[in-house]
Amino acid sequence: MTAEPLLQVEDLRVHFPVTEGVVFKRHVGSVKAVDGVSFDLYPGETLGLVGESGCGKSTTALALLRMLEPTSGRILFDGRDITSLSQREMRPLRREIQMVYQDPFGSLNPRMKVRDIVGEPLVVHGLAKDRKAYRMRVAELIERVGLLPDMAERYPHEFSGGQRQRIGIARALALEPKLIICDEAVSALDVSIQAQIVNLFKDLQDELGIAYLFIAHDLSVVRHISDRVAVMYLGRIVEVAAHDQLFSNPRHPYTEALLEAVPVPDPVLESQRDHQLLRGEVPSVTEPPSGCRFHPRCPKVLERCSNDLPLLEGEPGGRAVACHLHDHLHDGVTDRLQP
Amino acid sequence: MTTPAGAGAVPDLASTSPSFGQSRVARFVRKLARDKPLGAAGGAVFLFFLLCGVFADVLAPYGVNETSLEHRLEPPSLEFPFGTDHIGRDVLSRVLKGGQLSMVVSFCAAGLATLVSLVIGVLSGYFGGRLDMVLQRFVDAWMTFPDLVLLIVVVSVVGPGMVQIIVIVGLLYGIAGSRIVRGAVISVREQTFAHAAQSIGAQPPHILWRHIVPNVMPVLIVLFTTRVGAVILVEAGLSFLGLGVPPPAPTWGGMLSGTGRTYMYLGPWLALAPGLCLTIVVYAINVFGDALRDLLDPRMRGSR
């Protein structure tokens, strides 16, 4: 990777206060949904973000869009610090970052025609100068995502899930963004439709050079679309690697366990596989474990894991892992930060 | 949700092509008659009463307060289709004129109430936080007063009259109804498309106008139509207590509770005429409102 990163996230934290009482609110703790996430995303690249439910993937996405206020950390977009911009200052930047949502049913207003949905970003940003140009642009966008232009007159409920997701993608494309955040964008679709949508994402990237932050819990989808993959566990990234490296040679025990859990679509092979299942439950995000977040469930736990929080160490844009097992890779650097 | 592969580019043959050369209203009326016959009937009945109200002065065969000592408490006849009351006034003329008053009062008051509910509900529900807290405690306090007590107090201070009743009843129902709108707004606000609009960079006025209000429309329609019926009844109740539109102006409520109740055994038509009108109108507008709500929902289009 030679170019400057499009998006840099440094030690991002999003904590939600937990309060008790109605009138006199007492602060009794905080839900540490995102607790020190750092990653880079380069122009035209796809970074997959995987992890189980509740690990903070979507919260990260919302914080990047400034829909949630980060508790601490920095977000740089195109070299510019956007962490503390006001909502007004954020507006022009919203043209650059768009989002595609998980739920193809809830993400489109049922009372708006497809034309108005797809064209809404243009209207909001005052780009719909005259009616004819507006209609042309919307028709172009609708065609671009593989729908027919005369579908602009219809309402969302007349479409299937896959088609709706295409409408959502057309809306995200309207402003020609540099980055699209796909929050579980294909998880709600049938497998056959998933493949179509993933291919559409890839085609769009090839043509328009869009970068994706592709959030998912399905590793096979992520494997197909991502250039690099970041694995999250309990609010922190535990491993980042190019997708072929991650899948062929996982380093973090959690990544290994995740890959083990992917079923093989062959009953004979599947029954012969040696499963190394994780024990226990995901710990509470209100009181995360000391040291490495993963140590209570880790099959390869070391003594120091319960005290020292391993840092995500590695070359920028390359491979990095946050695990004491791999400390020797970077001269035994450990983290002095305690949660 | 199962979809055939190639969901993207296959034209939907079942889609109905919009018929051109027809106004949207005409198409809507045809759809109403076809899909919701009961609602259409309600609408027709309601329209009939509305027209009667509008043209009451032309339609009324006699003067509203024209008395005739020879024709007191006469049962319905060709000369007096709805009979006459105890001082010989024509009941049909009074019902028509009373309908006019009831329509004006109920429409204005229900309209005002819906508007007030919308404004308070949207402010409270969409912006939330401290504003919501303050507004809703005010609404709580307001709702602890029984409707009628509040009405009696205010009317006895500002005096009876049509405008007073419209404003008071409008505010009364408006503030109480804001709770319903608030709930609807909150549920819409939390939907993904509202978040999506925000992430696009849309400002609150745009989100409210394009996303929130259209999606609470069904609630508003039902609120309005039920309020129209309720206001007619409240006005009747106030007239009964002598706090409504002052006599001798005829209102359905006044006729029902005044002469209607007093002479119920001697002349049942005195109570039946305004009473039936009241019942029919309130029922008709409720049915019509329900049909309207269903038809205005794009999701219901094409489904019977």
Side-chain angles (χ1 to χ4, degrees):
Chain A
M1 300 278 173
T2 48
E4 284 295 299
L6 178 66
L7 178 74
Q8 284 171 280
V9 179
E10 294 171 5
D11 203 28
L12 181 73
R13 283 165 208 269
V14 184
H15 294 181
F16 299 102
V18 180
T19 54
E20 267 179 13
V22 179
V23 181
F24 302 102
K25 291 202 167 95
R26 275 182 305 126
H27 194 88
V28 293
S30 54
V31 173
K32 299 179 175 88
V34 177
D35 203 20
V37 161
S38 309
F39 63 86
D40 294 338
L41 179 61
Y42 291 86
E45 184 196 32
T46 303
L47 177 67
L49 191 57
V50 295
E52 57 201 289
S53 316
C55 73
K57 305 180 300 263
S58 297
T59 310
T60 307
L62 291 176
L64 295 181
L65 281 167
R66 294 288 313 284
M67 303 280 284
L68 287 173
E69 286 306 308
T71 311
S72 68
R74 287 212 308 163
I75 304 162
L76 284 88
F77 185 79
D78 242 354
R80 189 171 162 210
D81 190 341
I82 64 167
T83 326
S84 49
L85 293 185
S86 69
Q87 288 300 330
R88 177 187 291 268
E89 292 167 319
M90 198 57 204
R91 273 198 88 198
L93 267 167
R94 297 208 180 279
R95 291 175 59 173
E96 312 281 347
I97 312 175
Q98 292 286 311
M99 188 149 170
V100 176
Y101 295 84
Q102 170 172 19
D103 178 8
F105 294 88
S107 61
L108 308 177
N109 185 341
R111 282 170 190 269
M112 279 165 82
K113 286 183 179 167
V114 170
R115 165 170 298 124
D116 299 320
I117 293 171
V118 174
E120 189 179 24
L122 302 171
V123 175
V124 164
H125 286 275
L127 300 175
K129 289 287 184 298
D130 65 298
R131 208 176 164 72
K132 205 178 159 205
Y134 171 71
R135 286 184 169 239
M136 295 259 294
R137 175 75 180 130
V138 171
E140 189 187 311
L141 286 165
I142 291 174
E143 259 181 308
R144 189 65 210 74
V145 295
L147 298 174
L148 296 175
D150 63 351
M151 291 175 173
E153 286 299 322
R154 296 209 228 149
Y155 286 90
H157 73 276
E158 298 173 61
F159 294 89
S160 67
Q163 286 174 317
R164 284 166 185 236
Q165 205 57 308
R166 287 174 193 265
I167 297 167
I169 295 168
R171 170 173 65 188
L173 289 177
L175 296 171
E176 297 171 6
K178 290 181 183 158
L179 169 64
I180 294 182
I181 298 175
C182 308
D183 187 1
E184 304 268 15
V186 297
S187 310
L189 306 173
D190 287 352
V191 177
S192 59
I193 311 293
Q194 276 188 2
Q196 292 177 12
I197 299 293
V198 166
N199 288 334
L200 174 63
F201 275 126
K202 288 184 113 173
D203 292 348
L204 291 171
Q205 186 167 49
D206 292 343
E207 278 177 49
L208 306 169
I210 305 167
Y212 295 122
L213 178 62
F214 199 91
I215 298 172
H217 59 250
D218 184 340
L219 285 167
S220 51
V221 170
V222 169
R223 178 177 203 165
H224 190 57
I225 193 169
S226 307
D227 299 312
R228 288 188 301 140
V229 181
V231 181
M232 262 184 104
Y233 182 76
L234 220 63
R236 294 184 67 89
I237 290 182
V238 294
E239 182 166 6
V240 185
H243 77 284
D244 44 350
Q245 284 179 333
L246 187 100
F247 285 97
S248 59
N249 180 21
R251 287 202 176 139
H252 198 282
Y254 179 64
T255 316
E256 282 175 23
L258 269 187
L259 294 179
E260 287 269 342
V262 177
V264 176
D266 179 339
V268 181
L269 276 179
E270 178 67 39
S271 64
Q272 290 166 352
R273 273 173 79 202
D274 180 24
H275 282 283
Q276 179 205 11
L277 287 176
L278 281 184
R279 293 174 188 287
E281 291 289 316
V282 182
S284 149
V285 279
T286 327
E287 288 160 35
S290 62
C292 176
R293 297 289 147 86
F294 190 56
H295 87 261
R297 300 172 74 190
C298 184
K300 299 175 181 170
V301 63
L302 303 173
E303 215 169 291
R304 57 189 299 207
C305 292
S306 54
N307 300 315
D308 295 345
L309 182 66
L311 252 196
L312 190 66
E313 290 285 340
E315 61 272 31
R319 170 138 225 202
V321 60
C323 180
H324 292 307
L325 286 171
H326 299 280
D327 277 347
H328 62 275
L329 290 176
H330 33 262
D331 307 313
V333 181
T334 53
D335 187 18
R336 280 112 0 230
L337 290 172
Q338 289 298 317
Chain B
M1 177 118 204
T2 51
T3 38
V10 183
D12 187 355
L13 296 174
S15 72
T16 49
S17 58
S19 39
F20 293 103
Q22 243 183 345
S23 76
R24 289 176 73 172
V25 179
R27 234 183 306 160
F28 184 78
V29 170
R30 269 207 342 200
K31 194 165 178 57
L32 180 71
R34 195 187 61 213
D35 294 350
K36 301 272 172 191
L38 187 65
V45 169
F46 178 66
L47 198 68
F48 172 73
F49 274 89
L50 199 66
L51 288 175
C52 286
V54 171
F55 296 109
D57 299 312
V58 186
L59 290 172
Y62 303 92
V64 171
N65 291 314
E66 196 182 306
T67 58
S68 162
L69 290 175
E70 297 156 44
H71 304 288
R72 290 165 56 203
L73 286 176
E74 273 188 20
S77 63
L78 276 178
E79 199 182 351
F80 304 103
F82 284 8
T84 60
D85 69 3
H86 64 299
I87 50 173
R89 292 178 296 192
D90 178 40
V91 175
L92 175 63
S93 305
R94 289 182 68 77
V95 165
L96 283 169
K97 189 72 184 166
Q100 187 180 42
L101 271 174
S102 294
M103 288 293 165
V104 172
V105 170
S106 59
F107 259 71
C108 294
L112 180 68
T114 311
L115 195 69
V116 170
S117 296
L118 179 66
V119 171
I120 299 181
V122 163
L123 287 179
S124 189
Y126 186 75
F127 294 102
R130 197 153 292 170
L131 181 72
D132 181 37
M133 182 77 181
V134 172
L135 275 175
Q136 289 309 311
R137 295 301 77 74
F138 169 72
V139 173
D140 280 342
W142 182 275
M143 284 177 19
T144 53
F145 294 108
D147 289 3
L148 208 56
V149 173
L150 209 61
L151 275 168
I152 291 168
V153 170
V154 181
V155 172
S156 44
V157 172
V158 297
M162 205 167 79
V163 179
Q164 287 92 314
I165 290 185
I166 290 172
V167 173
I168 298 159
V169 176
L171 283 178
L172 190 74
Y173 279 154
I175 292 172
S178 72
R179 196 53 70 79
I180 297 165
V181 179
R182 173 178 173 268
V185 168
I186 289 175
S187 81
V188 176
R189 186 191 67 183
E190 291 307 323
Q191 294 203 28
T192 320
F193 61 79
H195 277 274
Q198 223 179 327
S199 77
I200 284 166
Q203 309 274 56
H206 173 93
I207 297 176
L208 289 177
W209 185 245
R210 291 309 305 268
H211 296 282
I212 307 288
V213 173
N215 282 290
V216 296
M217 221 42 205
V219 177
L220 292 181
I221 291 170
V222 175
L223 207 57
F224 178 78
T225 52
T226 52
R227 288 318 190 214
V228 167
V231 172
I232 294 178
L233 296 176
V234 163
E235 189 272 329
L238 279 178
S239 298
F240 177 77
L241 294 170
L243 297 169
V245 179
T251 63
W252 290 346
M255 293 167 75
L256 196 59
S257 51
T259 53
R261 202 174 52 94
T262 320
Y263 295 94
M264 195 184 284
Y265 297 108
L266 288 173
W269 57 89
L270 283 179
L272 274 177
L276 278 178
C277 287
L278 207 94
T279 313
I280 292 170
V281 168
V282 172
Y283 181 65
I285 191 160
N286 275 308
V287 186
F288 181 56
D290 280 355
L292 215 56
R293 179 200 55 197
D294 291 348
L295 282 187
L296 289 180
D297 188 340
R299 278 163 295 192
M300 302 286 281
R301 276 184 204 169
S303 60
R304 298 282 153 89

